[in-house]
Short mmCIF file of all heavy atoms in Angstrom, two decimals:
data_model
loop_
_atom_site.label_atom_id
_atom_site.label_comp_id
_atom_site.label_asym_id
_atom_site.label_seq_id
_atom_site.Cartn_x
_atom_site.Cartn_y
_atom_site.Cartn_z
N PHE A 1 9.93 -4.07 -4.18
CA PHE A 1 8.95 -3.37 -4.99
C PHE A 1 9.55 -2.18 -5.76
O PHE A 1 8.90 -1.56 -6.57
CB PHE A 1 7.81 -2.84 -4.12
CG PHE A 1 6.89 -3.91 -3.62
CD1 PHE A 1 5.96 -3.62 -2.63
CD2 PHE A 1 6.92 -5.20 -4.15
CE1 PHE A 1 5.09 -4.58 -2.18
CE2 PHE A 1 6.05 -6.16 -3.69
CZ PHE A 1 5.13 -5.86 -2.70
N THR A 2 10.80 -1.81 -5.49
CA THR A 2 11.43 -0.66 -6.15
C THR A 2 11.98 -1.02 -7.51
O THR A 2 12.35 -0.14 -8.29
CB THR A 2 12.56 -0.11 -5.29
OG1 THR A 2 13.57 -1.10 -5.14
CG2 THR A 2 12.04 0.30 -3.92
N LYS A 3 12.06 -2.30 -7.81
CA LYS A 3 12.58 -2.71 -9.11
C LYS A 3 11.55 -2.40 -10.20
O LYS A 3 10.34 -2.37 -9.95
CB LYS A 3 12.92 -4.19 -9.11
CG LYS A 3 14.13 -4.53 -8.22
CD LYS A 3 14.48 -6.00 -8.32
CE LYS A 3 15.69 -6.32 -7.47
NZ LYS A 3 16.06 -7.73 -7.52
N ALA A 4 12.04 -2.16 -11.39
CA ALA A 4 11.15 -1.83 -12.51
C ALA A 4 10.25 -3.00 -12.83
O ALA A 4 10.60 -4.16 -12.60
CB ALA A 4 11.98 -1.47 -13.74
N GLY A 5 9.14 -2.66 -13.46
CA GLY A 5 8.21 -3.71 -13.86
C GLY A 5 7.16 -3.90 -12.82
O GLY A 5 7.43 -3.90 -11.63
N GLY A 6 5.92 -4.04 -13.22
CA GLY A 6 4.86 -4.29 -12.27
C GLY A 6 4.10 -3.03 -11.93
O GLY A 6 4.67 -2.02 -11.56
N THR A 7 2.82 -3.06 -12.06
CA THR A 7 2.01 -1.87 -11.80
C THR A 7 0.83 -2.19 -10.90
O THR A 7 -0.18 -1.48 -10.89
CB THR A 7 1.49 -1.29 -13.12
OG1 THR A 7 0.69 -2.30 -13.77
CG2 THR A 7 2.63 -0.85 -14.02
N THR A 8 0.95 -3.30 -10.06
CA THR A 8 -0.17 -3.68 -9.20
C THR A 8 -0.37 -2.64 -8.11
O THR A 8 0.53 -1.84 -7.81
CB THR A 8 0.11 -5.04 -8.53
OG1 THR A 8 1.23 -4.89 -7.67
CG2 THR A 8 0.39 -6.12 -9.55
N LYS A 9 -1.57 -2.69 -7.53
CA LYS A 9 -1.88 -1.76 -6.44
C LYS A 9 -0.94 -1.94 -5.26
O LYS A 9 -0.55 -0.98 -4.61
CB LYS A 9 -3.32 -1.95 -5.99
CG LYS A 9 -4.36 -1.53 -7.04
CD LYS A 9 -5.76 -1.74 -6.50
CE LYS A 9 -6.81 -1.32 -7.54
NZ LYS A 9 -8.18 -1.52 -7.03
N ASP A 10 -0.55 -3.21 -4.96
CA ASP A 10 0.34 -3.46 -3.82
C ASP A 10 1.71 -2.85 -4.05
O ASP A 10 2.32 -2.28 -3.15
CB ASP A 10 0.48 -4.97 -3.56
CG ASP A 10 -0.77 -5.53 -2.90
OD1 ASP A 10 -1.57 -4.72 -2.37
OD2 ASP A 10 -0.92 -6.76 -2.88
N LYS A 11 2.20 -2.95 -5.30
CA LYS A 11 3.49 -2.35 -5.58
C LYS A 11 3.43 -0.85 -5.41
O LYS A 11 4.32 -0.22 -4.82
CB LYS A 11 3.95 -2.71 -6.99
CG LYS A 11 4.41 -4.15 -7.15
CD LYS A 11 4.93 -4.39 -8.55
CE LYS A 11 5.42 -5.83 -8.73
NZ LYS A 11 5.95 -6.05 -10.08
N ALA A 12 2.35 -0.30 -5.88
CA ALA A 12 2.21 1.15 -5.76
C ALA A 12 2.09 1.55 -4.29
O ALA A 12 2.68 2.54 -3.86
CB ALA A 12 0.98 1.61 -6.53
N ALA A 13 1.32 0.77 -3.54
CA ALA A 13 1.16 1.08 -2.12
C ALA A 13 2.49 0.95 -1.39
O ALA A 13 2.83 1.74 -0.51
CB ALA A 13 0.12 0.16 -1.50
N PHE A 14 3.25 -0.06 -1.75
CA PHE A 14 4.54 -0.28 -1.11
C PHE A 14 5.48 0.89 -1.38
O PHE A 14 6.18 1.39 -0.49
CB PHE A 14 5.15 -1.59 -1.59
CG PHE A 14 6.47 -1.91 -0.93
CD1 PHE A 14 6.51 -2.38 0.38
CD2 PHE A 14 7.66 -1.73 -1.61
CE1 PHE A 14 7.73 -2.67 0.98
CE2 PHE A 14 8.87 -2.01 -1.00
CZ PHE A 14 8.91 -2.49 0.29
N GLN A 15 5.52 1.35 -2.65
CA GLN A 15 6.36 2.49 -2.98
C GLN A 15 5.93 3.72 -2.21
O GLN A 15 6.74 4.53 -1.75
CB GLN A 15 6.29 2.75 -4.49
CG GLN A 15 6.99 1.66 -5.31
CD GLN A 15 6.77 1.82 -6.80
OE1 GLN A 15 5.92 2.63 -7.22
NE2 GLN A 15 7.51 1.06 -7.58
N SER A 16 4.59 3.85 -2.02
CA SER A 16 4.07 4.99 -1.26
C SER A 16 4.55 4.93 0.19
O SER A 16 4.91 5.94 0.78
CB SER A 16 2.55 5.01 -1.32
OG SER A 16 2.03 6.03 -0.50
N VAL A 17 4.58 3.72 0.77
CA VAL A 17 5.05 3.54 2.15
C VAL A 17 6.50 3.95 2.28
O VAL A 17 6.91 4.67 3.19
CB VAL A 17 4.84 2.09 2.61
CG1 VAL A 17 5.58 1.82 3.91
CG2 VAL A 17 3.36 1.79 2.77
N ILE A 18 7.31 3.51 1.29
CA ILE A 18 8.74 3.83 1.35
C ILE A 18 8.95 5.33 1.20
O ILE A 18 9.74 5.94 1.93
CB ILE A 18 9.50 3.06 0.26
CG1 ILE A 18 9.46 1.55 0.57
CG2 ILE A 18 10.93 3.54 0.16
CD1 ILE A 18 10.09 0.70 -0.50
N GLN A 19 8.23 5.94 0.28
CA GLN A 19 8.42 7.38 0.03
C GLN A 19 7.94 8.21 1.21
O GLN A 19 8.54 9.23 1.55
CB GLN A 19 7.67 7.78 -1.24
CG GLN A 19 8.30 7.19 -2.51
CD GLN A 19 7.43 7.39 -3.74
OE1 GLN A 19 6.36 8.00 -3.65
NE2 GLN A 19 7.90 6.90 -4.87
N SER A 20 6.87 7.77 1.86
CA SER A 20 6.33 8.56 2.97
C SER A 20 7.15 8.42 4.24
O SER A 20 7.06 9.25 5.14
CB SER A 20 4.89 8.14 3.25
OG SER A 20 4.86 6.82 3.78
N GLY A 21 7.94 7.32 4.31
CA GLY A 21 8.70 7.07 5.54
C GLY A 21 7.88 6.48 6.66
O GLY A 21 8.37 6.23 7.75
N ASP A 22 6.57 6.24 6.41
CA ASP A 22 5.70 5.62 7.42
C ASP A 22 5.95 4.12 7.42
O ASP A 22 5.77 3.47 6.38
CB ASP A 22 4.24 5.92 7.08
CG ASP A 22 3.30 5.51 8.21
OD1 ASP A 22 3.79 4.86 9.16
OD2 ASP A 22 2.10 5.84 8.12
N PRO A 23 6.38 3.53 8.55
CA PRO A 23 6.71 2.09 8.54
C PRO A 23 5.49 1.19 8.37
O PRO A 23 5.62 0.04 7.98
CB PRO A 23 7.36 1.87 9.90
CG PRO A 23 6.80 2.95 10.77
CD PRO A 23 6.60 4.14 9.87
N LEU A 24 4.30 1.64 8.73
CA LEU A 24 3.10 0.82 8.63
C LEU A 24 1.97 1.62 7.98
O LEU A 24 1.74 2.79 8.34
CB LEU A 24 2.61 0.36 10.00
CG LEU A 24 3.44 -0.68 10.76
CD1 LEU A 24 2.83 -0.88 12.14
CD2 LEU A 24 3.45 -1.98 10.01
N THR A 25 1.29 1.00 7.03
CA THR A 25 0.07 1.58 6.48
C THR A 25 -1.00 0.52 6.53
O THR A 25 -0.77 -0.63 6.12
CB THR A 25 0.27 2.04 5.03
OG1 THR A 25 1.25 3.06 5.00
CG2 THR A 25 -1.05 2.57 4.46
N VAL A 26 -2.18 0.89 7.08
CA VAL A 26 -3.27 -0.08 7.24
C VAL A 26 -4.43 0.33 6.34
O VAL A 26 -4.85 1.48 6.34
CB VAL A 26 -3.74 -0.13 8.70
CG1 VAL A 26 -4.88 -1.14 8.85
CG2 VAL A 26 -2.59 -0.48 9.63
N GLN A 27 -4.90 -0.64 5.59
CA GLN A 27 -6.08 -0.44 4.76
C GLN A 27 -7.22 -1.24 5.35
O GLN A 27 -7.09 -2.46 5.55
CB GLN A 27 -5.82 -0.89 3.32
CG GLN A 27 -4.75 -0.08 2.60
CD GLN A 27 -4.50 -0.61 1.19
OE1 GLN A 27 -4.98 -1.67 0.81
NE2 GLN A 27 -3.74 0.17 0.40
N VAL A 28 -8.34 -0.55 5.68
CA VAL A 28 -9.53 -1.21 6.20
C VAL A 28 -10.71 -0.77 5.36
O VAL A 28 -10.97 0.43 5.22
CB VAL A 28 -9.77 -0.85 7.68
CG1 VAL A 28 -11.03 -1.57 8.18
CG2 VAL A 28 -8.57 -1.22 8.54
N TYR A 29 -11.45 -1.75 4.82
CA TYR A 29 -12.59 -1.40 3.95
C TYR A 29 -13.60 -2.55 3.98
O TYR A 29 -13.19 -3.72 4.22
CB TYR A 29 -12.10 -1.17 2.51
CG TYR A 29 -11.36 -2.34 1.92
CD1 TYR A 29 -12.05 -3.33 1.18
CD2 TYR A 29 -9.99 -2.49 2.10
CE1 TYR A 29 -11.37 -4.40 0.65
CE2 TYR A 29 -9.31 -3.56 1.57
CZ TYR A 29 -9.99 -4.53 0.85
OH TYR A 29 -9.31 -5.59 0.32
N PRO A 30 -14.88 -2.30 3.84
CA PRO A 30 -15.49 -0.96 3.94
C PRO A 30 -15.50 -0.50 5.38
O PRO A 30 -15.55 -1.32 6.29
CB PRO A 30 -16.90 -1.19 3.42
CG PRO A 30 -17.19 -2.62 3.74
CD PRO A 30 -15.87 -3.36 3.62
N ASN A 31 -15.44 0.77 5.61
CA ASN A 31 -15.46 1.35 6.95
C ASN A 31 -16.17 2.68 6.88
O ASN A 31 -15.61 3.63 6.27
CB ASN A 31 -14.05 1.54 7.48
CG ASN A 31 -14.04 2.00 8.93
OD1 ASN A 31 -15.02 1.85 9.65
ND2 ASN A 31 -12.93 2.60 9.35
N PRO A 32 -17.39 2.83 7.36
CA PRO A 32 -18.17 1.87 8.16
C PRO A 32 -18.66 0.67 7.35
O PRO A 32 -18.61 0.69 6.12
CB PRO A 32 -19.34 2.69 8.68
CG PRO A 32 -19.14 4.09 8.18
CD PRO A 32 -18.07 4.12 7.20
N THR A 33 -19.17 -0.35 8.12
CA THR A 33 -19.72 -1.54 7.50
C THR A 33 -20.90 -2.03 8.30
O THR A 33 -21.08 -1.66 9.47
CB THR A 33 -18.66 -2.65 7.39
OG1 THR A 33 -19.20 -3.73 6.64
CG2 THR A 33 -18.27 -3.14 8.77
N VAL A 34 -21.72 -2.85 7.65
CA VAL A 34 -22.83 -3.50 8.37
C VAL A 34 -22.53 -4.99 8.60
O VAL A 34 -23.33 -5.68 9.21
CB VAL A 34 -24.15 -3.33 7.59
CG1 VAL A 34 -24.57 -1.86 7.55
CG2 VAL A 34 -24.03 -3.91 6.19
#
């Protein structure tokens, strides 16, 4: 995901993971839910 090109949310999230140094990021939505 570090290569140029591409502006999807996953690429951005992946770059965020690498920059933060956090090995795992979990997205849960909606939370709360019915």
Side-chain angles (χ1 to χ4, degrees):
F1 287 168
T2 63
K3 291 183 179 179
T7 60
T8 65
K9 292 181 180 180
D10 285 343
K11 287 184 179 181
F14 182 75
Q15 290 173 349
S16 175
V17 168
I18 293 175
Q19 292 170 1
S20 69
D22 190 352
L24 289 175
T25 297
V26 180
Q27 296 178 349
V28 180
Y29 57 91
N31 186 19
T33 186
V34 294

